[in-house]
Amino acid sequence: MKNLLLITLFTTLSTLCSFGAKKAKVVDTWPDGSAISAWFQDTKAVDLTGLKRYVLTDYGIFANGHIHTKAIQALIDKAAADGGGVICIPQGVYLTGGLHFKQGTHLYLEDGAVLQGSDFIGDYPLGKTRIEGETCTYFGALINADGLDGFTISGKGTIDGNGLKYHQQFWLRRKWNRKCTNKDEQRPRLLYVSNCKNVQIEGVKLQNSAFWTSHYYNCENVKVLGVRIYSLGKPDDSKGPSTDAIDLDVCKNILIKNCYMSVNDDAVAIKGGKGPYADAFEKEYKDVEIPEENIGNGANENIIIEDCEYGFCHGCLTLGSESVHSKNIILRRINISAQANNLLWLKMRPDTPQRYEYITVENITGPVKNFILIAPWTQFYDLKGRKDKPMSYSDHITMRNCDVDCNVFFNAKQQEEVYHLSNFNFENITVRAKDTTFDTKIVEGFTYKNINAVKK
């Protein structure tokens, strides 16, 4: 009888605990309160089982210092024509210009393999592309994928942009002409994925890009998992200008997880378009001819960056300078191991209608110069004849559970005739800063609690 009572009690407690656990389970939600789909929890590795392998050395392509663009492209084309397969880069350094992957083809880099880009811009053909928030003609990237479903890059090897000469030429030109723009000194990106869905970039190293490291345009369902992204650092004549780690441009459903990013610009930058009529995809402008470069603009939505480590960067999460509408973005569980310039950077263009909404930054540790920076961004300012200035908005911005050292806690400039800030919430923040002040009057509806700001 005693044993029966004990068994009954144990069963009852187990049932209650199980019920309590089920009740306590919290559904992960976006900042706007909608549920995050199970797709974001699925981080299984790329599976290339059953796909034919096309190993470079089996097709007479060797690590001999020669540029193999034509031969590697022919191999990609052959794999696509034969029903798909995996382009395998074996150990060694293989030089190439711009490559264009086709439907059903994948890229795999063995441990010790390096696919290195040419340092001659002529090896990257011109074509219609997206760059700096515009649709225009520019140079292709080292790795290009357009209009593909299921494209993957995986392995433990390296894609190296060989950017040193490009960087040196850029800084030299800047000494001669301070107004030299990013596009004036012609440089290829490392990876450009456009008009694609169900993409996974996993395990590889992306380094030393000549320009932006990876750029995703008009893509849906993209996972970047365990990728190391790095660009050359000092001295000044070699640090990589505008080598953004990840640029998201008109994208939906993006997971960036367990990555390392250290670049001489933004780690993750949210793009989408710029210009006085950049929001024409959402709003009708009567009797206005929309500029051709604005064709292809769009919103970014449902983006998670989590469990990553950051080295140096200009912005851990930057919205702009070419972003129109961005919604439901989460940056969480990030460790900053070297001082970044800005944790959250909202670039407000006075010549572009913008809306940044439902952004959450949480569980961050490490040193930054600015905990949050909100300011007008006037680089290449051009109203293109528009008489009235477009208004922009940033709202429902949450920052919580952070422990950081910084120079300035709340670096925000008020400019109500250009942009309006509303519904900010700061919670459970410990910050050691030279400037600990924050002016809540700048934001309509600023709530905060448990702010431990220590002046240093």
Side-chain angles (χ1 to χ4, degrees):
M1 178 66 74
K2 184 178 180 180
N3 289 338
L4 181 60
L5 287 171
L6 287 172
I7 291 170
T8 303
L9 178 61
F10 178 79
T11 303
T12 303
L13 287 172
S14 298
T15 303
L16 288 172
C17 289
S18 176
F19 178 73
K22 289 178 182 178
K23 282 192 69 177
K25 185 178 180 181
V26 177
V27 176
D28 208 4
T29 58
W30 292 109
D32 71 352
S34 58
I36 296 175
S37 76
W39 179 88
F40 286 88
Q41 304 300 321
D42 181 4
T43 56
K44 63 176 177 288
V46 169
D47 184 3
L48 302 174
T49 304
L51 295 178
K52 184 176 179 179
R53 292 166 57 89
Y54 295 80
V55 182
L56 263 57
T57 48
D58 291 345
Y59 293 85
I61 303 169
F62 299 103
N64 54 13
H66 295 166
I67 302 289
H68 295 292
T69 313
K70 289 184 178 179
I72 299 174
Q73 186 62 56
L75 193 57
I76 295 170
D77 296 345
K78 174 178 172 54
D82 291 346
V86 185
I87 307 302
C88 298
I89 314 299
Q91 289 186 6
V93 180
Y94 299 82
L95 289 169
T96 181
L99 300 173
H100 295 260
F101 280 77
K102 306 293 180 63
Q103 180 60 41
T105 61
H106 305 263
L107 176 60
Y108 178 82
L109 299 106
E110 293 182 359
D111 193 3
V114 179
L115 189 63
Q116 187 173 73
S118 165
D119 61 6
F120 172 53
I121 192 61
D123 288 324
Y124 304 87
L126 288 164
K128 187 71 73 175
T129 187
R130 281 281 292 194
I131 192 74
E132 294 196 328
E134 295 179 337
T135 301
C136 62
T137 299
Y138 193 68
F139 299 92
L142 174 57
I143 304 295
N144 302 270
D146 181 63
L148 310 186
D149 186 353
F151 175 65
T152 69
I153 299 176
S154 61
K156 295 183 178 180
T158 301
I159 305 175
D160 189 308
N162 199 16
L164 178 60
K165 185 179 291 186
Y166 294 104
H167 302 163
Q168 290 174 328
Q169 290 173 170
F170 177 87
W171 294 119
L172 182 62
R173 186 163 182 166
R174 270 284 174 92
K175 289 179 181 178
W176 170 66
N177 175 16
R178 291 294 300 169
K179 295 182 179 181
C180 168
T181 69
N182 278 324
K183 290 191 291 186
D184 287 340
E185 186 54 50
Q186 300 155 347
R187 300 177 288 155
R189 290 155 289 178
L190 188 78
L191 172 63
Y192 179 54
V193 180
S194 56
N195 306 303
C196 291
K197 59 184 179 180
N198 304 313
V199 172
Q200 188 155 318
I201 314 299
E202 175 193 307
V204 295
K205 304 175 187 70
L206 307 179
Q207 66 184 35
N208 302 334
S209 180
F211 197 5
W212 292 355
T213 303
S214 61
H215 179 194
Y216 302 87
Y217 168 66
N218 194 32
C219 291
E220 185 172 350
N221 298 344
V222 176
K223 293 177 181 177
V224 183
L225 308 176
V227 174
R228 186 182 189 275
I229 301 176
Y230 174 78
S231 73
L232 293 166
K234 296 179 179 180
D236 287 348
D237 66 345
S238 66
K239 64 182 181 181
S242 299
T243 47
D244 298 359
I246 299 174
D247 288 295
L248 302 176
D249 187 358
V250 192
C251 289
K252 183 178 182 180
N253 298 338
I254 309 292
L255 175 64
I256 301 165
K257 187 178 180 70
N258 294 328
C259 294
Y260 174 81
M261 292 174 266
S262 182
V263 294
N264 190 43
D265 211 321
D266 297 322
V268 179
I270 312 299
K271 306 288 186 180
K274 66 179 179 180
Y277 303 106
D279 60 346
F281 66 94
E282 292 183 327
K283 180 179 178 181
E284 182 181 0
Y285 288 96
K286 294 181 178 179
D287 303 320
V288 173
E289 184 176 351
I290 305 303
E292 183 181 357
E293 62 266 21
N294 283 169
I295 297 173
N297 289 353
N300 296 277
E301 188 173 2
N302 298 352
I303 297 165
I304 297 177
I305 309 111
E306 64 183 11
D307 303 314
C308 296
E309 181 181 352
Y310 284 31
F312 174 75
C313 62
H314 291 185
C316 296
L317 174 60
T318 301
L319 281 76
S321 56
E322 306 105 21
S323 184
V324 187
H325 186 188
S326 297
K327 179 182 179 182
N328 279 338
I329 300 174
I330 299 173
L331 178 73
R332 63 186 177 189
R333 301 192 299 271
I334 302 299
N335 177 55
I336 303 166
S337 56
Q339 187 179 63
N341 284 352
N342 306 291
L343 174 53
L344 177 60
W345 191 358
L346 305 180
K347 293 181 175 179
M348 311 303 297
R349 291 189 70 99
D351 63 357
T352 299
Q354 302 163 309
R355 186 167 209 114
Y356 307 151
E357 58 178 345
Y358 297 103
I359 315 297
T360 295
V361 176
E362 60 186 355
N363 301 103
I364 312 294
T365 60
V368 294
K369 288 185 178 179
N370 294 296
F371 184 75
I372 181 170
L373 174 61
I374 309 169
W377 184 262
T378 57
Q379 187 180 43
F380 313 129
Y381 173 83
D382 187 357
L383 280 173
K384 299 182 184 296
R386 181 169 175 169
K387 302 303 180 184
D388 62 314
K389 288 185 178 181
M391 274 293 293
S392 294
Y393 304 87
S394 289
D395 58 89
H396 295 92
I397 311 297
T398 296
M399 303 184 76
R400 62 191 176 204
N401 305 328
C402 299
D403 188 335
V404 301
D405 288 274
C406 61
N407 291 349
V408 181
F409 176 37
F410 188 70
N411 193 344
K413 295 178 175 62
Q414 188 171 24
Q415 194 167 321
E416 280 290 339
E417 70 277 12
V418 177
Y419 56 85
H420 182 70
L421 311 175
S422 63
N423 299 310
F424 279 38
N425 180 40
F426 283 13
E427 295 181 41
N428 304 325
I429 295 171
T430 296
V431 59
R432 294 160 293 278
K434 293 178 181 177
D435 183 349
T436 59
T437 60
F438 63 106
D439 186 356
T440 60
K441 295 189 297 296
I442 291 176
V443 179
E444 178 188 359
F446 196 135
T447 61
Y448 58 93
K449 65 179 180 180
N450 299 332
I451 306 299
N452 181 22
V454 180
K455 191 173 180 64
K456 65 177 184 178

